[in-house]
Amino acid sequence: MDLPGPIHDFLLVFLGSGLILGGLGVVLLTNPIYSAFSLGLVFVCISLLYIPSNSHFVAAAQLLIYVGAINVLIIFAVMFMNGSEYYKDLNLWTVGDGVTSVVCTSIFASLITTI
């Protein structure tokens, strides 16, 4: 698929931001159902990234296998779990969350400075 330069760049930025936001949603959302839906967004964005590189079969296979099967299986497994145990304590930030966010931010900053 031959796209003009600005459209191709916009598509890559849009799908890349969808990947980043979906990945953050998987990690940061406390409700496992919302986290599974964010994982579905990540899978869809990954499959759509194959289309500009003329890999239409890989994109369709990615959608069918990962979004259609794996993510639905994860959502069903999460829905069968007991949902009341996730809302017993409402500690939004613990010490481990703070340490993890500092470590991830420092790794991200070091990657940005080396690029």
Side-chain angles (χ1 to χ4, degrees):
M1 187 158 103
D2 295 327
L3 293 173
I7 294 175
H8 188 267
D9 293 340
F10 173 74
L11 187 63
L12 285 177
V13 167
F14 181 71
L15 291 175
S17 63
L19 278 170
I20 291 172
L21 291 176
L24 287 174
V26 169
V27 175
L28 296 177
L29 292 174
T30 57
N31 191 349
I33 297 291
Y34 295 149
S35 181
F37 283 137
S38 294
L39 185 65
L41 174 69
V42 169
F43 287 154
V44 167
C45 288
I46 288 173
S47 68
L48 290 177
L49 278 174
Y50 287 116
I51 291 176
S53 64
N54 292 328
S55 301
H56 301 290
F57 178 74
V58 176
Q62 179 96 15
L63 275 175
L64 287 174
I65 293 170
Y66 285 107
V67 178
I70 303 296
N71 200 30
V72 170
L73 181 69
I74 289 171
I75 288 173
F76 282 146
V78 166
M79 290 175 78
F80 280 129
M81 292 182 346
N82 189 6
S84 64
E85 66 188 44
Y86 293 105
Y87 301 110
K88 286 183 181 175
D89 52 338
L90 293 176
N91 293 336
L92 295 178
W93 283 92
T94 60
V95 175
D97 293 335
V99 169
T100 303
S101 65
V102 167
V103 168
C104 290
T105 305
S106 65
I107 290 173
F108 180 72
S110 66
L111 285 174
I112 291 297
T113 56
T114 57
I115 294 175

